[in-house]
Amino acid sequence: MSASQTLLDQALTAIREERPSARAMGVELVGIVGSITRGEARADSDVDVVYDVIGRPTLFDLGAIVVELEDRLGRRVDLIGREAMKPDRWAYMGRDLVVA
């Protein structure tokens, strides 16, 4: 990743590159929410990645996706499942969604 890329650009690229592998595990990587999308990320901020379940992923599958994204980005990644979120919480978080 080049120094001229923003963290948001790096994260979107990582998601796009990881998408085929994630799909094979039953996960559709959607995009990013949180401080990175609002331009408020700090050096210790994590990357909040939104996903949808499209198959039958295991916890090991989700863990493998997290590890791969963390390796690519060099920072902590949190996966956020849209279907598990309460509608009022998603209404708040979804405003910041940047689709990959």
Side-chain angles (χ1 to χ4, degrees):
M1 291 178 248
S2 75
S4 64
Q5 276 189 316
T6 66
L7 178 55
L8 178 59
D9 291 334
Q10 293 170 357
L12 292 171
T13 297
I15 287 172
R16 290 175 188 133
E17 290 173 353
E18 183 61 19
R19 184 172 278 144
S21 177
R23 280 185 184 145
M25 291 183 245
V27 174
E28 179 68 37
L29 298 176
V30 176
I32 302 168
V33 295
S35 63
I36 291 173
T37 63
R38 295 188 304 268
E40 299 170 355
R42 301 182 317 244
D44 63 343
S45 293
D46 63 358
V47 179
D48 298 311
V49 177
V50 176
Y51 74 94
D52 290 328
V53 174
I54 58 172
R56 296 183 56 101
T58 67
L59 290 177
F60 291 111
D61 294 333
L62 295 174
I65 293 167
V66 167
V67 168
E68 182 61 32
L69 290 172
E70 287 178 342
D71 285 349
R72 289 175 186 259
L73 296 170
R75 62 178 60 220
R76 197 166 59 87
V77 169
D78 286 334
L79 287 182
I80 301 168
R82 269 199 296 198
E83 111 182 352
M85 293 191 76
K86 294 181 179 180
D88 60 328
R89 181 118 168 108
W90 177 247
Y92 171 76
M93 289 182 74
R95 293 182 301 196
D96 295 334
L97 178 65
V98 175
V99 177

